[in-house]
Amino acid sequence: MPYRQKKVVVIGAGSVGTAYIYALLPTGVAGEIALIDIDQNRVEGEVLDLSHGLPFIPPVKIKKGDYSDCADADIIVVTAGAKQQPGQSRLDLIQKNAQIVRSICHEISKQDCSAVFVMVTNPVDALTYVALKELKWNHQRIIGSGTVLDSARLKYLLSQHCKIDARNVHAYILGEHGDSEVAAWSMSHIAGVSLRDYCKICRACDYSEHHRRIAEEVRNSAYHIIGYKGSTYYGIGLSLVRITETILRNEHSILTVSSFLDGQYGIKDVCLSVPCVVGDTGVKMTIDAELAADELHALRASAQTIREVLEKIKG
Ligand code: NAD
């Protein structure tokens, strides 16, 4: 059978959608990218602008799309909707963005589609759950970008602090992509040495004080960036490229995507982030690891925070 190029549909041509496409193009992992937005002029402009870089990158077709493009897509990435204003939390966006996500899912469900669905719009965990209920697909095919970005922020800050290549720092933020997120120190390590033990060897800092400060900085990162320049898009763009690569290449990489929990960590019927094995069909396996008691308690509290947000849009 001839090799079929992988197709990505991006719904939402704003800062996040276009930063993602811009970062995806040089990877060559997608053969076709279709961009959809209610703002038709914006899509025309973004498609033209992005297409003018084609002579410099591996072959790819970029086009203005519509929902029929979802029928043969391998991955559908939703970045459409309102973004945080300075001082607003992600959870404040729920009413407006839940409506948008429902209308988008309604259009997607008219297509006979086998793609993996990736929610990015905030509040991402609650909206992943909304999409799951609307689309009624196999749960493993519906994921949110979750705390992939937050975990990257944690790795970056630890790499700066420890003076180690960020790619050699294995650290995870779990739970909500938002204020109730949990730094899972008990599953974080450098060179197989737990961070707690690594700090004992290194002895350059006060372990608990620095870890507390770094976790707080991760939690507040988006607020700082939004305060400085209005919105965040490069970090999430690269996080989405990482998620896309593992899906399109069936890499089975471990990522803290948001997915439906059915009893793992004692948590049921909510979408949030824990380490998952991700491949061509979405979540291949949820890693139900042992956490420190305080982390498990915080993770369950984070699940409750997301449930309370979902309560607001019931009915
Ligand atoms: P933006 O305002 O630049 O773009 C949003 C786009 O959505 C606009 O082009 C708008 O026309 C489009 N849109 C609105 N309703 C639509 C609909 N029904 N159908 C199709 N398109 C529609 O916003 P942005 O900065 O790109 O942010 C987008 C979302 O991503 C926000 O909710 C933001 O909070 C979220 N975000 C998530 C993360 C994460 O880690 N999950 C990180 C950054 C931003």
Side-chain angles (χ1 to χ4, degrees):
M1 223 169 43
Y3 177 72
R4 193 179 67 81
Q5 295 277 9
K6 301 291 183 186
K7 180 171 179 181
V8 178
V9 171
V10 182
I11 305 173
S15 311
V16 173
T18 52
Y20 161 52
I21 296 175
Y22 184 67
L24 183 64
L25 290 176
T27 68
V29 76
E32 184 175 357
I33 301 171
L35 183 57
I36 301 174
D37 197 289
I38 43 168
D39 183 342
Q40 300 295 315
N41 284 335
R42 178 146 202 177
V43 181
E44 291 285 359
E46 296 295 2
V47 167
L48 273 177
D49 197 1
L50 289 162
S51 300
H52 294 165
L54 289 183
F56 311 117
I57 56 169
V60 53
K61 182 177 172 190
I62 311 168
K63 64 170 198 177
K64 179 179 170 187
D66 59 43
Y67 283 95
S68 67
D69 279 296
C70 296
D72 60 346
D74 295 282
I75 171 165
I76 300 170
V77 179
V78 176
T79 70
K83 59 186 173 196
Q84 287 165 267
Q85 299 304 318
Q88 234 184 356
S89 88
R90 295 176 181 93
L91 299 180
D92 294 330
L93 302 169
I94 187 68
Q95 301 288 357
K96 187 172 184 185
N97 285 349
Q99 264 185 11
I100 292 174
V101 166
R102 284 192 179 115
S103 70
I104 288 171
C105 290
H106 179 70
E107 293 303 321
I108 294 173
S109 55
K110 291 180 192 165
Q111 309 300 323
D112 182 16
C113 142
S114 59
V116 175
F117 178 100
V118 181
M119 176 59 68
V120 187
T121 306
N122 276 319
V124 67
D125 303 286
L127 293 178
T128 304
Y129 186 89
V130 169
L132 195 126
K133 293 291 167 190
E134 294 293 318
L135 290 171
K136 300 184 180 69
W137 295 353
N138 183 328
H139 290 167
Q140 70 171 26
R141 273 172 63 201
I142 299 179
I143 63 178
S145 56
T147 58
V148 174
L149 172 58
D150 312 68
S151 297
R153 286 171 174 156
L154 179 61
K155 289 177 201 179
Y156 160 71
L157 289 170
L158 285 168
S159 81
Q160 294 295 296
H161 180 71
C162 301
K163 300 185 176 60
I164 297 278
D165 184 338
R167 294 168 300 178
N168 292 136
V169 178
H170 303 278
Y172 303 98
I173 298 284
L174 310 184
E176 180 204 0
H177 168 60
D179 298 343
S180 71
E181 67 187 28
V182 182
W185 298 114
S186 63
M187 49 165 77
S188 300
H189 65 93
I190 291 173
V193 182
S194 77
L195 267 174
R196 200 178 296 252
D197 289 342
Y198 185 87
C199 293
K200 279 186 200 150
I201 299 166
C202 173
R203 298 213 308 221
C205 74
D206 170 357
Y207 159 84
S208 53
E209 175 51 26
H210 278 89
H211 284 195
R212 191 197 55 72
R213 186 184 52 72
I214 286 172
E216 196 174 304
E217 203 171 329
V218 172
R219 195 174 313 114
N220 292 326
S221 289
Y223 292 115
H224 290 316
I225 299 169
I226 290 166
Y228 285 129
K229 64 171 204 160
S231 58
T232 76
Y233 35 88
Y234 296 129
I236 182 62
L238 287 167
S239 305
L240 291 171
V241 170
R242 189 69 204 91
I243 295 171
T244 304
E245 284 173 331
T246 191
I247 292 170
L248 296 187
R249 294 188 185 134
N250 194 21
E251 286 178 2
H252 288 218
S253 298
I254 309 284
L255 293 173
T256 53
V257 291
S258 186
S259 67
F260 184 79
L261 292 201
D262 192 21
Q264 299 92 338
Y265 299 88
I267 298 169
K268 254 180 160 359
D269 196 30
V270 71
C271 294
L272 52 66
S273 289
V274 294
C276 291
V277 180
V278 182
D280 59 352
T281 53
V283 172
K284 300 276 185 183
M285 189 172 86
T286 304
I287 297 175
D288 197 355
E290 201 168 317
L291 286 174
D294 59 330
E295 294 168 354
L296 185 59
H297 181 75
L299 185 64
R300 290 175 179 164
S302 187
Q304 190 51 28
T305 302
I306 299 165
R307 279 196 201 96
E308 284 163 15
V309 172
L310 286 165
E311 279 300 316
K312 291 186 189 165
I313 50 159
K314 260 196 177 157

mmCIF file of all heavy atoms in Angstrom, residues 10-11 16-17 20 76-80 82 90 97 101 117-125 127-128 143-146 177 236-237 240 243:
data_model
loop_
_atom_site.group_PDB
_atom_site.id
_atom_site.type_symbol
_atom_site.label_atom_id
_atom_site.label_comp_id
_atom_site.label_asym_id
_atom_site.label_seq_id
_atom_site.Cartn_x
_atom_site.Cartn_y
_atom_site.Cartn_z
ATOM 1 N N VAL A 10 -6.134 21.738 12.362
ATOM 2 C CA VAL A 10 -6.020 22.670 13.493
ATOM 3 C C VAL A 10 -7.250 23.566 13.487
ATOM 4 O O VAL A 10 -7.530 24.252 12.495
ATOM 5 C CB VAL A 10 -4.736 23.526 13.375
ATOM 6 C CG1 VAL A 10 -4.598 24.454 14.590
ATOM 7 C CG2 VAL A 10 -3.504 22.634 13.260
ATOM 8 N N ILE A 11 -8.006 23.556 14.580
ATOM 9 C CA ILE A 11 -9.212 24.399 14.677
ATOM 10 C C ILE A 11 -8.893 25.538 15.640
ATOM 11 O O ILE A 11 -8.673 25.307 16.832
ATOM 12 C CB ILE A 11 -10.431 23.571 15.139
ATOM 13 C CG1 ILE A 11 -10.609 22.368 14.186
ATOM 14 C CG2 ILE A 11 -11.687 24.449 15.184
ATOM 15 C CD1 ILE A 11 -11.675 21.380 14.612
ATOM 16 N N VAL A 16 -2.031 30.578 19.404
ATOM 17 C CA VAL A 16 -1.577 29.218 19.758
ATOM 18 C C VAL A 16 -1.600 28.317 18.524
ATOM 19 O O VAL A 16 -0.621 27.610 18.238
ATOM 20 C CB VAL A 16 -2.457 28.626 20.886
ATOM 21 C CG1 VAL A 16 -2.101 27.167 21.135
ATOM 22 C CG2 VAL A 16 -2.294 29.436 22.170
ATOM 23 N N GLY A 17 -2.701 28.357 17.764
ATOM 24 C CA GLY A 17 -2.815 27.498 16.581
ATOM 25 C C GLY A 17 -1.689 27.763 15.589
ATOM 26 O O GLY A 17 -1.092 26.819 15.044
ATOM 27 N N TYR A 20 1.864 26.810 16.884
ATOM 28 C CA TYR A 20 1.986 25.340 16.783
ATOM 29 C C TYR A 20 2.352 24.945 15.351
ATOM 30 O O TYR A 20 3.314 24.202 15.125
ATOM 31 C CB TYR A 20 0.662 24.722 17.221
ATOM 32 C CG TYR A 20 0.409 23.306 16.782
ATOM 33 C CD1 TYR A 20 1.337 22.289 17.022
ATOM 34 C CD2 TYR A 20 -0.781 22.958 16.128
ATOM 35 C CE1 TYR A 20 1.087 20.978 16.623
ATOM 36 C CE2 TYR A 20 -1.041 21.659 15.737
ATOM 37 C CZ TYR A 20 -0.095 20.675 15.974
ATOM 38 O OH TYR A 20 -0.342 19.389 15.581
ATOM 39 N N ILE A 76 -6.612 15.926 15.309
ATOM 40 C CA ILE A 76 -7.366 17.187 15.283
ATOM 41 C C ILE A 76 -6.995 17.953 16.538
ATOM 42 O O ILE A 76 -7.158 17.446 17.654
ATOM 43 C CB ILE A 76 -8.894 16.915 15.278
ATOM 44 C CG1 ILE A 76 -9.290 16.087 14.048
ATOM 45 C CG2 ILE A 76 -9.682 18.222 15.338
ATOM 46 C CD1 ILE A 76 -10.726 15.571 14.085
ATOM 47 N N VAL A 77 -6.477 19.155 16.358
ATOM 48 C CA VAL A 77 -6.001 19.946 17.494
ATOM 49 C C VAL A 77 -6.897 21.174 17.644
ATOM 50 O O VAL A 77 -7.027 21.964 16.710
ATOM 51 C CB VAL A 77 -4.528 20.370 17.259
ATOM 52 C CG1 VAL A 77 -4.012 21.214 18.417
ATOM 53 C CG2 VAL A 77 -3.640 19.148 17.070
ATOM 54 N N VAL A 78 -7.516 21.322 18.800
ATOM 55 C CA VAL A 78 -8.469 22.426 18.994
ATOM 56 C C VAL A 78 -7.857 23.524 19.865
ATOM 57 O O VAL A 78 -7.569 23.320 21.050
ATOM 58 C CB VAL A 78 -9.777 21.916 19.622
ATOM 59 C CG1 VAL A 78 -10.728 23.079 19.902
ATOM 60 C CG2 VAL A 78 -10.453 20.912 18.695
ATOM 61 N N THR A 79 -7.637 24.676 19.235
ATOM 62 C CA THR A 79 -7.082 25.834 19.952
ATOM 63 C C THR A 79 -8.047 27.023 19.856
ATOM 64 O O THR A 79 -7.652 28.161 20.102
ATOM 65 C CB THR A 79 -5.704 26.248 19.368
ATOM 66 O OG1 THR A 79 -5.918 26.814 18.071
ATOM 67 C CG2 THR A 79 -4.752 25.081 19.232
ATOM 68 N N ALA A 80 -9.286 26.757 19.465
ATOM 69 C CA ALA A 80 -10.257 27.842 19.264
ATOM 70 C C ALA A 80 -10.866 28.276 20.587
ATOM 71 O O ALA A 80 -11.153 27.441 21.440
ATOM 72 C CB ALA A 80 -11.372 27.365 18.331
ATOM 73 N N ALA A 82 -11.789 31.671 23.660
ATOM 74 C CA ALA A 82 -11.293 32.843 24.378
ATOM 75 C C ALA A 82 -10.043 32.484 25.173
ATOM 76 O O ALA A 82 -9.874 31.350 25.603
ATOM 77 C CB ALA A 82 -12.381 33.341 25.328
ATOM 78 N N ARG A 90 -7.655 30.379 34.297
ATOM 79 C CA ARG A 90 -8.116 29.559 33.162
ATOM 80 C C ARG A 90 -9.560 29.130 33.380
ATOM 81 O O ARG A 90 -10.345 29.025 32.446
ATOM 82 C CB ARG A 90 -7.225 28.332 33.020
ATOM 83 C CG ARG A 90 -5.784 28.675 32.656
ATOM 84 C CD ARG A 90 -4.939 27.426 32.639
ATOM 85 N NE ARG A 90 -3.544 27.704 32.308
ATOM 86 C CZ ARG A 90 -2.598 27.932 33.209
ATOM 87 N NH1 ARG A 90 -2.881 27.953 34.494
ATOM 88 N NH2 ARG A 90 -1.350 28.171 32.833
ATOM 89 N N ASN A 97 -16.054 29.068 26.535
ATOM 90 C CA ASN A 97 -15.318 28.080 25.748
ATOM 91 C C ASN A 97 -16.022 26.726 25.686
ATOM 92 O O ASN A 97 -15.850 25.989 24.709
ATOM 93 C CB ASN A 97 -13.883 27.962 26.268
ATOM 94 C CG ASN A 97 -13.049 29.159 25.830
ATOM 95 O OD1 ASN A 97 -13.484 29.938 24.985
ATOM 96 N ND2 ASN A 97 -11.863 29.322 26.401
ATOM 97 N N VAL A 101 -16.569 24.746 22.257
ATOM 98 C CA VAL A 101 -16.114 23.355 22.087
ATOM 99 C C VAL A 101 -17.284 22.451 21.707
ATOM 100 O O VAL A 101 -17.147 21.575 20.847
ATOM 101 C CB VAL A 101 -15.407 22.872 23.377
ATOM 102 C CG1 VAL A 101 -15.229 21.360 23.386
ATOM 103 C CG2 VAL A 101 -14.055 23.564 23.507
ATOM 104 N N PHE A 117 -8.026 13.239 19.008
ATOM 105 C CA PHE A 117 -8.498 14.602 19.260
ATOM 106 C C PHE A 117 -7.650 15.193 20.387
ATOM 107 O O PHE A 117 -7.534 14.585 21.455
ATOM 108 C CB PHE A 117 -9.971 14.524 19.671
ATOM 109 C CG PHE A 117 -10.614 15.840 20.014
ATOM 110 C CD1 PHE A 117 -11.419 16.497 19.095
ATOM 111 C CD2 PHE A 117 -10.442 16.405 21.273
ATOM 112 C CE1 PHE A 117 -12.030 17.705 19.418
ATOM 113 C CE2 PHE A 117 -11.048 17.602 21.603
ATOM 114 C CZ PHE A 117 -11.844 18.264 20.677
ATOM 115 N N VAL A 118 -7.074 16.373 20.145
ATOM 116 C CA VAL A 118 -6.246 17.012 21.176
ATOM 117 C C VAL A 118 -6.837 18.373 21.548
ATOM 118 O O VAL A 118 -6.853 19.304 20.734
ATOM 119 C CB VAL A 118 -4.783 17.189 20.694
ATOM 120 C CG1 VAL A 118 -3.935 17.829 21.801
ATOM 121 C CG2 VAL A 118 -4.184 15.861 20.280
ATOM 122 N N MET A 119 -7.316 18.497 22.764
ATOM 123 C CA MET A 119 -7.865 19.758 23.250
ATOM 124 C C MET A 119 -6.736 20.624 23.801
ATOM 125 O O MET A 119 -5.858 20.130 24.512
ATOM 126 C CB MET A 119 -8.887 19.461 24.373
ATOM 127 C CG MET A 119 -9.462 20.671 25.038
ATOM 128 S SD MET A 119 -10.292 21.741 23.869
ATOM 129 C CE MET A 119 -11.671 20.718 23.416
ATOM 130 N N VAL A 120 -6.781 21.912 23.455
ATOM 131 C CA VAL A 120 -5.774 22.853 23.968
ATOM 132 C C VAL A 120 -6.463 24.031 24.657
ATOM 133 O O VAL A 120 -5.950 24.596 25.629
ATOM 134 C CB VAL A 120 -4.881 23.386 22.810
ATOM 135 C CG1 VAL A 120 -3.727 24.212 23.352
ATOM 136 C CG2 VAL A 120 -4.359 22.243 21.960
ATOM 137 N N THR A 121 -7.646 24.382 24.153
ATOM 138 C CA THR A 121 -8.388 25.525 24.685
ATOM 139 C C THR A 121 -8.600 25.362 26.195
ATOM 140 O O THR A 121 -8.872 24.260 26.679
ATOM 141 C CB THR A 121 -9.763 25.607 23.963
ATOM 142 O OG1 THR A 121 -9.522 25.640 22.555
ATOM 143 C CG2 THR A 121 -10.539 26.828 24.386
ATOM 144 N N ASN A 122 -8.489 26.469 26.913
ATOM 145 C CA ASN A 122 -8.631 26.451 28.376
ATOM 146 C C ASN A 122 -10.057 26.721 28.835
ATOM 147 O O ASN A 122 -10.788 27.436 28.150
ATOM 148 C CB ASN A 122 -7.705 27.513 28.979
ATOM 149 C CG ASN A 122 -6.298 26.991 29.151
ATOM 150 O OD1 ASN A 122 -6.105 25.855 29.547
ATOM 151 N ND2 ASN A 122 -5.326 27.850 28.855
ATOM 152 N N PRO A 123 -10.455 26.183 29.991
ATOM 153 C CA PRO A 123 -9.681 25.321 30.886
ATOM 154 C C PRO A 123 -9.587 23.910 30.298
ATOM 155 O O PRO A 123 -10.606 23.237 30.135
ATOM 156 C CB PRO A 123 -10.482 25.324 32.191
ATOM 157 C CG PRO A 123 -11.880 25.690 31.787
ATOM 158 C CD PRO A 123 -11.791 26.508 30.534
ATOM 159 N N VAL A 124 -8.372 23.495 29.982
ATOM 160 C CA VAL A 124 -8.169 22.357 29.086
ATOM 161 C C VAL A 124 -8.714 21.042 29.653
ATOM 162 O O VAL A 124 -9.264 20.233 28.909
ATOM 163 C CB VAL A 124 -6.680 22.264 28.669
ATOM 164 C CG1 VAL A 124 -5.766 21.925 29.822
ATOM 165 C CG2 VAL A 124 -6.496 21.265 27.547
ATOM 166 N N ASP A 125 -8.595 20.820 30.957
ATOM 167 C CA ASP A 125 -9.047 19.528 31.508
ATOM 168 C C ASP A 125 -10.572 19.417 31.449
ATOM 169 O O ASP A 125 -11.109 18.396 31.020
ATOM 170 C CB ASP A 125 -8.551 19.374 32.952
ATOM 171 C CG ASP A 125 -7.045 19.503 33.026
ATOM 172 O OD1 ASP A 125 -6.359 18.557 32.617
ATOM 173 O OD2 ASP A 125 -6.557 20.574 33.446
ATOM 174 N N LEU A 127 -12.541 21.016 29.476
ATOM 175 C CA LEU A 127 -12.988 20.989 28.081
ATOM 176 C C LEU A 127 -12.653 19.663 27.395
ATOM 177 O O LEU A 127 -13.355 19.243 26.472
ATOM 178 C CB LEU A 127 -12.413 22.172 27.307
ATOM 179 C CG LEU A 127 -12.954 23.538 27.770
ATOM 180 C CD1 LEU A 127 -12.302 24.679 26.999
ATOM 181 C CD2 LEU A 127 -14.476 23.612 27.627
ATOM 182 N N THR A 128 -11.610 18.985 27.839
ATOM 183 C CA THR A 128 -11.326 17.634 27.324
ATOM 184 C C THR A 128 -12.491 16.728 27.704
ATOM 185 O O THR A 128 -12.969 15.917 26.910
ATOM 186 C CB THR A 128 -9.999 17.097 27.907
ATOM 187 O OG1 THR A 128 -8.949 18.024 27.601
ATOM 188 C CG2 THR A 128 -9.638 15.736 27.353
ATOM 189 N N ILE A 143 -7.647 13.463 24.126
ATOM 190 C CA ILE A 143 -6.701 13.904 25.156
ATOM 191 C C ILE A 143 -6.648 15.432 25.175
ATOM 192 O O ILE A 143 -7.099 16.097 24.243
ATOM 193 C CB ILE A 143 -5.274 13.336 24.919
ATOM 194 C CG1 ILE A 143 -4.686 13.837 23.599
ATOM 195 C CG2 ILE A 143 -5.281 11.826 24.952
ATOM 196 C CD1 ILE A 143 -3.266 13.338 23.351
ATOM 197 N N GLY A 144 -6.105 15.968 26.257
ATOM 198 C CA GLY A 144 -5.838 17.398 26.333
ATOM 199 C C GLY A 144 -4.330 17.598 26.445
ATOM 200 O O GLY A 144 -3.610 16.683 26.888
ATOM 201 N N SER A 145 -3.872 18.778 26.056
ATOM 202 C CA SER A 145 -2.424 19.044 26.190
ATOM 203 C C SER A 145 -2.014 19.025 27.654
ATOM 204 O O SER A 145 -0.836 18.814 27.976
ATOM 205 C CB SER A 145 -2.070 20.380 25.542
ATOM 206 O OG SER A 145 -2.845 21.419 26.101
ATOM 207 N N GLY A 146 -2.987 19.212 28.539
ATOM 208 C CA GLY A 146 -2.779 18.987 29.972
ATOM 209 C C GLY A 146 -1.571 19.722 30.537
ATOM 210 O O GLY A 146 -1.381 20.916 30.289
ATOM 211 N N HIS A 177 -4.214 21.531 34.591
ATOM 212 C CA HIS A 177 -3.357 22.563 33.989
ATOM 213 C C HIS A 177 -3.916 23.878 34.532
ATOM 214 O O HIS A 177 -4.791 24.491 33.934
ATOM 215 C CB HIS A 177 -3.449 22.501 32.460
ATOM 216 C CG HIS A 177 -2.843 23.695 31.763
ATOM 217 N ND1 HIS A 177 -1.525 24.054 31.894
ATOM 218 C CD2 HIS A 177 -3.392 24.631 30.939
ATOM 219 C CE1 HIS A 177 -1.291 25.141 31.180
ATOM 220 N NE2 HIS A 177 -2.410 25.518 30.593
ATOM 221 N N ILE A 236 3.541 26.476 24.406
ATOM 222 C CA ILE A 236 2.476 25.510 24.114
ATOM 223 C C ILE A 236 2.624 25.001 22.674
ATOM 224 O O ILE A 236 2.371 23.825 22.394
ATOM 225 C CB ILE A 236 1.057 26.086 24.384
ATOM 226 C CG1 ILE A 236 -0.033 25.047 24.123
ATOM 227 C CG2 ILE A 236 0.779 27.334 23.594
ATOM 228 C CD1 ILE A 236 0.015 23.827 24.984
ATOM 229 N N GLY A 237 3.062 25.882 21.760
ATOM 230 C CA GLY A 237 3.261 25.453 20.365
ATOM 231 C C GLY A 237 4.237 24.275 20.301
ATOM 232 O O GLY A 237 3.969 23.248 19.663
ATOM 233 N N LEU A 240 2.825 21.102 21.798
ATOM 234 C CA LEU A 240 1.894 20.435 20.870
ATOM 235 C C LEU A 240 2.646 19.681 19.776
ATOM 236 O O LEU A 240 2.197 18.625 19.319
ATOM 237 C CB LEU A 240 0.934 21.457 20.258
ATOM 238 C CG LEU A 240 -0.080 22.049 21.241
ATOM 239 C CD1 LEU A 240 -0.841 23.206 20.602
ATOM 240 C CD2 LEU A 240 -1.058 20.975 21.720
ATOM 241 N N ILE A 243 3.569 16.426 21.299
ATOM 242 C CA ILE A 243 2.400 15.523 21.370
ATOM 243 C C ILE A 243 2.095 14.969 19.972
ATOM 244 O O ILE A 243 1.841 13.781 19.791
ATOM 245 C CB ILE A 243 1.167 16.270 21.945
ATOM 246 C CG1 ILE A 243 1.420 16.682 23.396
ATOM 247 C CG2 ILE A 243 -0.093 15.416 21.840
ATOM 248 C CD1 ILE A 243 0.361 17.619 23.985
#
